[in-house]
Amino acid sequence: MLNLERTDRLYTTLPYYIVNSGVGLLVSIMANAVFGTIVWGMVGIGWQYYFKFFLITFIIFFATDGLIVLISACCRTLEQAMATFNMTIGIFLLFNGFSANTKTTPPWLSWICYMSPLYYSMEMFLDALYENSPLWVSTGQLFGMRKHVFWTDFFICLSIGCAGRFLAFFAMKHLNKIER
């Protein structure tokens, strides 16, 4: 849609991108707040952890959405974007810190965990939940997670989301132009 409107010189990429990203960010914050509050109330974990949980859900959405925007901006067709997205998210879902992590995967393959935003969300959640608890030994260490890295992981996910959006802007501007 953007490419067709751009060829008609209705507007440039920047206004479209700013409005689309801004509205998407506001909608995601509201949706995460409503969904997160309902889920958190149903889970029954103490409300003292809710703020960090909200930050985790927001930042994992932000990082993953940034990668989705980048993938869709780089692909020529919807089918190509869906195939690339499904492959990428499948790898991220596998190397999420629970099913495959740095302790259970061979060293030559465990580097993929550090590319997955889901791995960082798992590490942030375990760090927030078991930060000062003896349960860390049976949970965090079992999955090969690092301790006291909540804000480091938060900023890594923030960087992934920002880099994905930044690169997507240039991909939208320079790739896959339609010529009439």
Side-chain angles (χ1 to χ4, degrees):
M1 181 66 106
L2 166 69
N3 286 333
L4 290 174
E5 293 171 350
R6 228 175 31 176
T7 57
D8 292 335
R9 302 210 188 288
L10 295 176
Y11 48 80
T12 62
T13 306
L14 186 61
Y16 168 82
Y17 193 73
I18 289 173
V19 170
N20 193 22
S21 296
V23 170
L25 192 61
L26 288 175
V27 168
S28 71
I29 289 172
M30 291 186 297
N32 275 327
V34 170
F35 177 73
T37 304
I38 292 169
V39 169
W40 196 258
M42 291 171 57
V43 169
I45 299 175
W47 287 95
Q48 69 269 23
Y49 301 110
Y50 176 74
F51 180 70
K52 283 190 173 179
F53 171 75
F54 177 76
L55 286 177
I56 293 167
T57 59
F58 171 72
I59 201 65
I60 194 62
F61 172 82
F62 183 77
T64 308
D65 188 55
L67 293 173
I68 292 168
V69 170
L70 176 61
I71 289 169
S72 63
C74 290
C75 294
R76 192 172 236 349
T77 64
L78 178 62
E79 292 79 18
Q80 184 184 18
M82 289 301 292
T84 307
F85 165 73
N86 287 335
M87 178 194 65
T88 306
I89 203 70
I91 292 170
F92 289 164
L93 286 171
L94 177 62
F95 290 91
N96 62 9
F98 181 74
S99 53
N101 53 55
T102 56
K103 198 156 188 165
T104 60
T105 56
W108 59 270
L109 196 57
S110 65
W111 61 270
I112 298 174
C113 290
Y114 296 112
M115 294 178 57
S116 172
L118 300 175
Y119 174 81
Y120 294 111
S121 69
M122 174 81 160
E123 194 168 59
M124 282 188 285
F125 188 73
L126 288 176
D127 191 27
L129 195 58
Y130 299 121
E131 183 177 24
N132 298 316
S133 170
L135 291 175
W136 176 259
V137 174
S138 62
T139 54
Q141 289 180 352
L142 177 68
F143 297 117
M145 300 291 176
R146 301 167 298 162
K147 197 170 184 179
H148 305 298
V149 292
F150 182 88
W151 292 109
T152 303
D153 290 348
F154 181 86
F155 286 112
I156 288 171
C157 287
L158 183 66
S159 300
I160 291 170
C162 289
R165 283 173 172 72
F166 181 75
L167 294 171
F169 171 76
F170 288 103
M172 283 181 179
K173 188 170 178 120
H174 300 293
L175 293 179
N176 305 322
K177 290 185 179 181
I178 297 173
E179 295 182 22
R180 289 190 173 184

